[in-house]
Amino acid sequence: MAAALLTLADRAGVRLLVPEGIGSMCCGTPWSSKGLTAGYEAVRDRVPPALRAASRDGALPVVSDAASCTEGFAKLLAGAGDLRVVDAVGYAAAELLPRLTVRRRLGSLALHPTCSSTRLGLDDALLTVARAVADEVVVPEGWQCCGFAGDRGLLHPELTASATRAEAAAVTARSFDGYASVNRTCEIGMARATGQPYRHLLELLADATA
């Protein structure tokens, strides 16, 4: 998905700066959600200073490419002064989409918002981007948390199977030209539940503007 964001920014004439050592950075949620305080403190000590340097002391926003990570960064940076974190979909809707030309639209799209996108108030941005790439956008009846919860869906797939049952029934009751969400684990969970290839919404936008 990061590749799609970089591609979209390039097409829109926007330069994105990727921090040095990005591969070893994390929002800290895998540690904080399990009560692993030492690991979270290590992230808190290392990541905010690196983001401060990359953002030119807060002059640039920090763009996160997964909704759950955006939520995690918002918590991690809460005490970091003027550092601003924005989700990639919200950033794309506000800053990139107006500079892009959509050349190929899908007829229909099944859209799965996530817990994080809803808590962050991003669902309007999701719909803005989704409606740019598809004539019909459907948030299925029965939508709710997919139950993947980080690694829980990997370790206990029955949780996701139960949580997605109603939504999966609505999705599989008809066919769609595309299936999208905004977090990789949610995409995995919904793909397992429906048998359909869920992708990040910005990947579909990259396809539509190619």
Side-chain angles (χ1 to χ4, degrees), residues 9 11 25 28 42 57 75 79 82 89 109 113 128 137 148 150 155 158 192 197:
R11 288 176 185 161
M25 293 187 196
D57 206 26
K75 295 175 182 176
D82 53 1
V89 175
L109 173 67
T128 295
V137 177
F148 214 93
L155 300 174
E158 67 275 11
R192 286 180 176 178

Side-chain angles (χ1 to χ4, degrees), residues 111-122:
L111 179 64
H112 174 80
T114 71
C115 300
S116 291
S117 70
T118 300
R119 284 193 294 264
L120 291 167
L122 286 170

Side-chain angles (χ1 to χ4, degrees), residues 47-133:
V47 174
L51 294 181
R52 179 168 294 282
S55 67
R56 299 174 183 169
D57 206 26
L60 301 174
V62 176
V63 181
S64 170
D65 65 5
S68 61
C69 298
T70 304
E71 187 175 23
F73 276 123
K75 295 175 182 176
L76 183 70
L77 302 177
D82 53 1
L83 289 182
R84 297 171 294 137
V85 60
V86 297
D87 187 77
V89 175
Y91 183 77
E95 303 294 337
L96 304 182
L97 188 56
R99 306 180 188 189
L100 295 169
T101 300
V102 175
R103 294 182 170 86
R104 295 180 297 169
R105 290 169 59 85
L106 298 172
S108 58
L109 173 67
L111 179 64
H112 174 80
T114 71
C115 300
S116 291
S117 70
T118 300
R119 284 193 294 264
L120 291 167
L122 286 170
D123 289 348
D124 285 346
L126 265 66
L127 289 171
T128 295
V129 175
R131 288 167 179 157
V133 303

Side-chain angles (χ1 to χ4, degrees), residues 39-51:
Y40 189 72
E41 288 172 3
V43 170
R44 189 173 56 199
D45 289 343
R46 184 175 72 249
V47 174
L51 294 181

Side-chain angles (χ1 to χ4, degrees), residues 18-34:
V18 180
E20 292 288 336
I22 188 67
S24 63
M25 293 187 196
C26 177
C27 70
T29 299
W31 285 269
S32 64
S33 64
K34 294 179 173 62

Side-chain angles (χ1 to χ4, degrees), residues 138-176:
V138 175
V139 176
E141 186 175 345
W143 169 86
Q144 63 175 4
C145 173
C146 71
F148 214 93
D151 62 1
R152 296 296 88 187
L154 296 173
L155 300 174
H156 301 283
E158 67 275 11
L159 294 177
T160 298
S162 176
T164 58
R165 187 170 292 117
E167 183 178 358
V171 171
T172 57
R174 55 165 288 189
S175 62
F176 292 90

